[in-house]
Amino acid sequence: MTEGERGTEGGADLHEERLGALLDEAETRARGDAGIDVEAFVDSHADFADELRELLPLALGLRAPLDARETERGRHGRFGPFELVIGVGASALAVGMGTVYLAHDDRLGRDVALKCLRSESANDERFLERFRREARATAQLSHENIVQLLDADEFDGTPYYTMRYVEGTTLEDWLAAAERSGEARRRRGGDSSAGSGASVLARSPAELGFADIAALVRALADAVAHAHDRGILHRDIKPANVMLDPTGRPLILDFGVCRAEGERDLTGTDFVGTLRYSAPEQLNGAADERSAVYGLGLILYELLTLRRVWRGKETSELVLAVRNEEPRRPARIDRAVPPDLETIARKAYAKLPEERYASASALARDLEAFIQGRPIAARPPSALYLVRLFAGRHRGLCATALVSLVALAALGTSYVLDVRAERTRRLAEAYSARVAAAQAALALGETSSALHHLEEAPAELTDWCWRNLRARADQALE
C-alpha cells in the first residue's frame, strides 16, 4: 500500500484491518504445533514490517511494555533485567503456552534464551502450574543433550525462566528444508561408517551416513533415559523439540508437557503431546518411557527416509493411522537402509508398547551396537504382532478369517488322523498361525515376511489357502 492510499480514510481502515488479520494469524500459528518464527513472518509481510515488529512481541505474550529501540544488533526491547532482541537477525518463537526470545542478561553479561508465559495463559492456574513444573523438571536435569536451565522468576506478574542460548536450527526445520529441496533420498556407499567427521549442520540430511543417524538418535535416547532416571517423562518427543547446535549436537527442548513421578496431570485433557508423533496409548491418556521411545523411533524413521511420517493425513486420518497403521518400511523408501537399523526403528515405533524397547537406554544400546558393527538385540516384528496389528485394522475381515482358520484347523486334523492326537493338534495350530501371519503380512505389504511364514508352515497341511497366499506373494515380488 502506498502512502497516498494509506492517507485516505478507506485506505487507512483497510490497512488497519489487514494488520489486525495478520496479528490474528500470527497468534493462531503460535498456538499450533510448529509455533511461529516471528522474523520470517515479518519478512513475508514487508508492507507491515515496522508495525509487526512493534506489535508482535506484545501480541504473542509479553504483558510488560517493551521499550523498543534500534542498535547495531537489531531492534531491542526490555523485559525486566533482560534486553530482548526482537527484530533484525533474531526471532521470537512462540510455542504453545510460552514465547521464547533471544535476550541479553544484563546482570551476568551473557545471551540467554528467555521463555515467558503468554499473557492469555497467565490467568489460568493449570498453565501457571504447568509452566512452573516445566522449570522444576528442567532444573533437575544436567545432560549434554538437554538444554540447561539457568534461572526462573517472575517480572510484572509474568513468569519466566532462562536457558542456555543455543544457536542452530530445529531438527524439524532441517529435515523440512531437505524435503522441500527435493534432495536425493538414497545415500551413497556403505553407510555403517562413522561419516565424514564434519558437523551435521554442515551437511544436508541426505548426506548423513547411517552411523551418523544412529549416533544422533542414540544421543537423544541417552538424554531421555537421563530424564526418566530422575522421574521425568517427556511426553512430546518430536523433531520440533530437538535443536541442532552448530556442531551438530542434538538437544532436547520443551519439558512443558513432561510429567514427574508422583505428580498429577494438569493438562485438563486426556491427550498430551503432538498427535503426529504420539504413541497409540497416549490417545487414551496413558504414557510411560516406551511412549517416549516411540517418538524417538519416528525421529529415526524420518532421518532414514527424509519423509514426514503420516504426511498428507488430516486429523481424523491421523488418529486411525496412529492407532492401527505402521509407517511404510524405511527400506522400501530407500533400499540402502541397513536391515539392522530398520529393525531398530520398527521396534522403537511398534504400535504395541510391549513390542517396543522397554526403555530409552535399551534403544541407545542397540543403536550403539549398530554403530560398532555388533549384533543388535532387536528382532523383526513377530508373527503375533503382525496378526494383532492386522486385526486392529481389519476387524470384520479377521472375524471371517477366524471362522476360515477354525475350519482349516479341523480339516488339518481330519487329514492326519493316522498321526497321534497331540502332534495333530500342534501341527494344525502351527499351520493356522503361519497362514494367519502370512495373510496379515501381505495385507501390510510385508511380502518377504509372508513368504517366510508360508515356508515355515507344516508342509503336509498345505492346501488351496496356502497356495493362494503363495501365488499372491509371488505376484507382489514381480
Side-chain angles (χ1 to χ4, degrees):
M1 177 179 291
T2 67
E3 292 298 325
E5 289 174 319
R6 221 179 266 186
T8 66
E9 183 177 352
D13 290 343
L14 179 59
H15 181 81
E16 292 300 317
E17 183 178 335
R18 290 181 61 195
L19 178 60
L22 288 174
L23 292 172
D24 289 341
E25 178 187 348
E27 289 191 85
T28 299
R29 289 171 58 179
R31 287 192 292 268
D33 289 343
I36 180 174
D37 184 326
V38 171
E39 191 62 24
F41 186 82
V42 170
D43 288 343
S44 65
H45 301 286
D47 289 348
F48 297 86
D50 290 340
E51 290 152 303
L52 288 174
R53 284 198 176 98
E54 181 178 354
L55 296 174
L56 275 177
L58 293 173
L60 296 180
L62 285 181
R63 297 195 300 175
L66 294 172
D67 176 22
R69 65 188 185 283
E70 297 288 344
T71 74
E72 67 269 8
R73 292 187 68 192
R75 188 173 176 84
H76 282 217
R78 296 292 308 180
F79 178 78
F82 302 100
E83 183 176 46
L84 309 182
V85 182
I86 58 175
V88 180
S91 298
L93 180 65
V95 181
M97 64 179 176
T99 305
V100 181
Y101 292 89
L102 166 59
H104 185 77
D105 188 340
D106 295 337
R107 300 165 299 181
L108 299 177
R110 63 182 175 186
D111 286 343
V112 297
L114 172 70
K115 184 167 185 177
C116 305
L117 185 63
R118 297 180 62 205
S119 57
E120 67 268 27
S121 304
N123 295 321
D124 189 320
E125 186 58 37
R126 293 175 305 162
F127 287 110
L128 282 167
E129 181 56 29
R130 177 175 154 185
F131 193 85
R132 295 180 185 121
R133 182 172 66 181
E134 179 179 359
R136 289 197 302 269
T138 309
Q140 296 180 45
L141 307 177
S142 178
H143 190 277
E144 62 179 353
N145 298 107
I146 296 175
V147 176
Q148 181 186 4
L149 182 136
L150 302 174
D151 185 25
D153 206 339
E154 291 189 7
F155 173 71
D156 196 25
T158 299
Y160 72 86
Y161 66 81
T162 61
M163 300 167 287
R164 184 171 65 85
Y165 173 64
V166 180
E167 293 184 352
T169 186
T170 66
L171 183 60
E172 179 178 59
D173 289 342
W174 188 58
L175 287 169
E179 189 172 21
R180 286 194 303 269
S181 69
E183 292 176 345
R185 296 298 191 262
R186 188 158 301 175
R187 299 167 174 87
R188 296 175 292 177
D191 283 293
S192 292
S193 64
S196 69
S199 165
V200 167
L201 288 184
R203 292 171 281 166
S204 72
E207 293 173 323
L208 289 186
F210 292 110
D212 294 315
I213 292 172
L216 191 155
V217 179
R218 180 201 55 196
L220 296 176
D222 282 339
V224 169
H226 171 84
H228 194 259
D229 287 345
R230 285 149 185 79
I232 304 297
L233 174 64
H234 197 304
R235 293 185 286 177
D236 197 18
I237 298 293
K238 60 182 179 181
N241 279 339
V242 175
M243 181 72 105
L244 298 174
D245 74 8
T247 70
R249 177 177 53 166
L251 298 111
I252 296 179
L253 310 171
D254 194 9
F255 278 80
V257 290
C258 70
R259 185 181 65 203
E261 290 181 352
E263 286 191 332
R264 62 188 179 90
D265 200 341
L266 297 163
T267 61
T269 62
D270 288 334
F271 174 68
V272 176
T274 301
L275 179 58
R276 187 174 301 276
Y277 297 97
S278 293
E281 64 272 15
Q282 287 182 265
L283 302 184
N284 300 321
D288 59 23
E289 190 172 2
R290 295 170 299 178
S291 308
V293 167
Y294 181 92
L296 292 168
L298 291 186
I299 287 177
L300 178 56
Y301 175 88
E302 294 193 354
L303 285 166
L304 291 175
T305 64
L306 300 183
R307 291 188 181 184
R308 193 181 191 196
V309 69
W310 315 129
R311 63 178 181 175
K313 292 185 181 294
E314 301 299 330
T315 300
S316 58
E317 297 175 309
L318 262 179
V319 171
L320 294 176
V322 169
R323 287 191 186 280
N324 301 316
E325 294 181 24
E326 184 172 304
R328 188 181 179 193
R329 285 181 55 178
R332 290 189 176 276
I333 298 172
D334 182 350
R335 293 182 182 178
V337 173
D340 277 358
L341 196 51
E342 180 185 70
T343 296
I344 291 171
R346 295 181 72 194
K347 183 173 181 65
Y349 60 68
K351 294 298 178 187
L352 305 174
E354 60 269 26
E355 290 285 336
R356 294 179 213 140
Y357 291 97
S359 66
S361 295
L363 169 59
R365 286 194 295 271
D366 249 5
L367 288 167
E368 180 62 23
F370 170 80
I371 295 168
Q372 298 297 330
R374 295 185 277 104
I376 63 171
R379 292 294 176 264
S382 65
L384 177 60
Y385 170 72
L386 290 174
V387 170
R388 291 176 68 182
L389 183 59
F390 178 79
R393 296 175 59 190
H394 305 282
R395 298 185 187 279
L397 178 59
C398 281
T400 303
L402 180 61
V403 173
S404 301
L405 289 172
V406 170
L408 187 60
L411 177 62
T413 302
S414 65
Y415 180 79
V416 289
L417 285 176
D418 58 328
V419 182
R420 289 179 301 175
E422 181 60 22
R423 180 173 182 273
T424 299
R425 184 184 65 80
R426 289 200 304 266
L427 281 173
E429 288 179 350
Y431 181 77
S432 298
R434 289 294 181 179
V435 169
Q439 184 179 20
L442 279 176
L444 294 169
E446 306 284 353
T447 307
S448 297
S449 179
L451 286 170
H452 168 74
H453 291 300
L454 290 173
E455 290 298 328
E456 293 296 319
E460 60 265 42
L461 294 184
T462 57
D463 64 350
W464 64 269
C465 183
W466 185 95
R467 290 189 292 273
N468 176 263
L469 291 173
R470 179 58 189 258
R472 287 169 54 193
D474 290 339
Q475 185 178 12
L477 290 175
E478 294 177 356

